[in-house]
Amino acid sequence: MDEKVLALVRKFSDAKKPIASVCHGQLILAAAGVVRDRTCTAYPAVRPVLVAAGAKWVEADTMKKCVVDGNLVTAAAYDGHPEFISLFVKALGGSVAGADKRILFLCGDYMEDYEVMVPFQALQALGCHVDAVCPDKGPGDKCPTAIHDFEGDQTYSEKPGHDFALNASFDGVDASSYDALVIPGGRAPEYLALNEKVLSLAKGFMDKGKPVASICHGQQILAAAGVLQGRKCTAYPAVKLNVVLGGGTWLEPDPIHRCFTDGNLVTGAAWPAHPEFVAQLMALLGIKVSF
C-alpha cells in the first residue's frame, strides 16, 4: 500500500536486477505490477492475488517449493530457504566451491530457534549434506525450540519458537562419516551436557581435529566434555564460568556478534553472530562463494 515501496520494486524489475521474494512477499510484487506473465509461486493463500495480477501460478506441492523465471526467484515459505538462497546466489552470478561436506548438528529440546535453523539452512544452501540428530529421537521427530531475544532486560527473554524436524538418528550416527559438528545454544545444552554419549561424540570430533562450531550455550557441552583445556573461545556471557572452569581462555564477545576461531574450534556468543559464525566455519571447511 506504500507507493514508495512499489516504485522501488519497479526500479529493480525494470533494470532486470535479481529479485527474490518468499511467502507473502509476492503481494508486493503483484501490487507493483511486475508479475504479469511471470511464472512464480508463493504461500498458497497468495494465489488469487497473483493470478489476478496476471502471473503464471505454480502450485506449491510442499512448502519448500521454489520457482525461477529470469531474474525473479520466488518461494512458498521459510522451509524453502536452502534452495531459495542457492538460487538467489546463482542469480547474483555466484558459484560455490568445496561444499561437498557432511555436517552433523547436535540438537535437543528447546535449543535456540535461530541458532539451529539459520546455520542448518545456510549450510544446505551452500550444498552441504546436513544431518540433525537428538538423543532418544529419530528421523521425522521434532524438537521444540525457544527464541532468546535481547530486549534491554538483565538477561535474555525467552519465547516459544518453531518446531525443528530432525532428519537422522542419534543412535545410528557414524561420526567418522562427518566433516564437522555444529552445536546450537538455547536450553538444550544444559541437559545434553549430562549425556555421556553426547559428550563422547563432541570429544571425538575435537580429538580428531575436525571443525566444531558451537554457539551461545553450546559451549556448556564442550566444557563438560573436557575439550576446552587450553583453548580460546567465547560464548553467551553467562556461560563464561563453564568455559573458565573447563580450562578455556575466555574471549569477551564485545560486541555480541563477535566470533572466534582457535584451530578447529569456532565459537560465537549468540545468534546475532551468525554471519561470522557461518563464515568462519566455511573457512575451516574450505567452502568458498565467488562472484
Side-chain angles (χ1 to χ4, degrees):
M1 297 175 67
D2 189 323
E3 286 299 327
K4 292 180 180 178
V5 169
L6 304 185
L8 180 65
V9 171
R10 291 187 193 109
K11 287 181 180 179
F12 275 85
S13 180
D14 292 344
K16 301 190 183 308
K17 292 183 177 181
I19 297 175
S21 182
V22 63
C23 198
H24 288 70
Q26 289 80 302
L27 290 171
I28 296 175
L29 303 182
V34 300
V35 293
R36 180 166 296 281
D37 297 325
R38 304 300 297 273
T39 303
C40 60
T41 192
Y43 187 73
V46 181
R47 180 183 65 177
V49 172
L50 286 176
V51 171
K56 297 177 181 177
W57 172 256
V58 177
E59 191 67 39
D61 47 354
T62 74
M63 289 296 99
K64 294 182 179 181
K65 186 71 175 181
C66 295
V67 173
V68 178
D69 183 353
N71 65 315
L72 179 62
V73 180
T74 54
Y78 66 84
D79 290 349
H81 278 161
E83 185 180 4
F84 182 66
I85 295 168
S86 177
L87 292 171
F88 191 46
V89 169
K90 290 178 182 178
L92 290 166
S95 61
V96 181
D100 56 337
K101 303 298 190 297
R102 291 173 53 85
I103 317 295
L104 183 66
F105 272 63
L106 185 52
C107 302
D109 288 350
Y110 296 102
M111 58 189 164
E112 212 284 331
D113 189 347
Y114 295 175
E115 289 171 3
V116 62
M117 183 65 81
V118 173
F120 184 87
Q121 292 189 322
L123 290 164
Q124 285 183 322
L126 291 167
C128 297
H129 176 95
V130 189
D131 285 337
V133 300
C134 173
D136 302 318
K137 295 190 181 187
D141 290 341
K142 295 183 178 181
C143 288
T145 71
I147 294 174
H148 289 170
D149 209 352
F150 312 103
E151 302 173 288
D153 302 308
Q154 292 184 347
T155 189
Y156 56 83
S157 62
E158 188 170 77
K159 304 176 180 67
H162 300 85
D163 286 344
F164 182 84
L166 305 168
N167 61 352
S169 169
F170 181 86
D171 291 335
V173 165
D174 175 9
S176 66
S177 70
Y178 291 97
D179 298 292
L181 176 68
V182 177
I183 307 176
R187 289 287 185 181
E190 63 189 16
Y191 81 85
L192 290 177
L194 304 176
N195 186 315
E196 289 299 327
K197 291 182 179 179
V198 167
L199 301 184
S200 177
L201 181 66
K203 189 174 187 302
F205 275 85
M206 289 294 291
D207 288 347
K208 291 185 181 299
K210 292 184 176 182
V212 173
S214 183
I215 194 164
C216 197
H217 289 72
Q219 288 80 303
Q220 290 177 314
I221 293 173
L222 299 179
V227 298
L228 293 183
Q229 188 72 38
R231 305 304 294 265
K232 298 176 182 179
C233 65
T234 192
Y236 185 71
V239 183
K240 179 179 180 179
L241 185 61
N242 300 74
V243 171
V244 173
L245 292 179
T249 298
W250 175 254
L251 299 176
E252 196 66 38
D254 185 18
I256 198 71
H257 64 258
R258 286 293 305 278
C259 287
F260 298 93
T261 298
D262 180 11
N264 66 314
L265 179 63
V266 176
T267 53
W271 56 258
H274 279 154
E276 287 192 19
F277 185 69
V278 174
Q280 291 184 29
L281 176 58
M282 287 172 61
L284 287 183
L285 289 168
I287 301 173
K288 296 183 179 180
V289 180
S290 303
F291 291 91

